[in-house]
Amino acid sequence: MHTWQMQEAKARMSELVKRAQSQPQVITVHGKSVAVVISRETFDRLSQPPQTQSSLVDFMRRSPLCNADDIVFERDQSLTREVSF
């Protein structure tokens, strides 16, 4: 990733945009990163909602084990460990 100072980014905007086609470009002001210029393709990919994402509750409800009452979860019966602060 290439880093540009704001003055340099303004003066060489055309080059900055061309470089952003291949990798993100960082713009700084007073040494702090304030912006990142990315390609339109990258922006479109990152801004689209995930296609297959669903909530954890939906995932659990689709489980073949949903409503299975015969599942037994055994607790670990060992003693707790001591922690010093």
Side-chain angles (χ1 to χ4, degrees), residues 28-77:
T28 62
V29 174
H30 302 297
K32 289 185 173 183
S33 178
V34 295
V36 177
V37 179
I38 59 175
S39 69
R40 181 62 195 216
E41 178 184 348
T42 301
F43 174 80
D44 289 342
R45 181 174 45 82
L46 293 174
S47 63
Q48 290 179 354
Q51 300 293 335
T52 60
Q53 187 176 11
S54 62
S55 72
L56 178 59
V57 173
D58 292 337
F59 173 79
M60 302 285 274
R61 286 181 179 151
R62 286 193 309 270
S63 168
L65 300 176
C66 183
N67 297 324
D69 296 328
D70 58 340
I71 299 174
V72 176
F73 294 100
E74 294 185 26
R75 287 188 67 153
D76 183 3
Q77 299 297 323

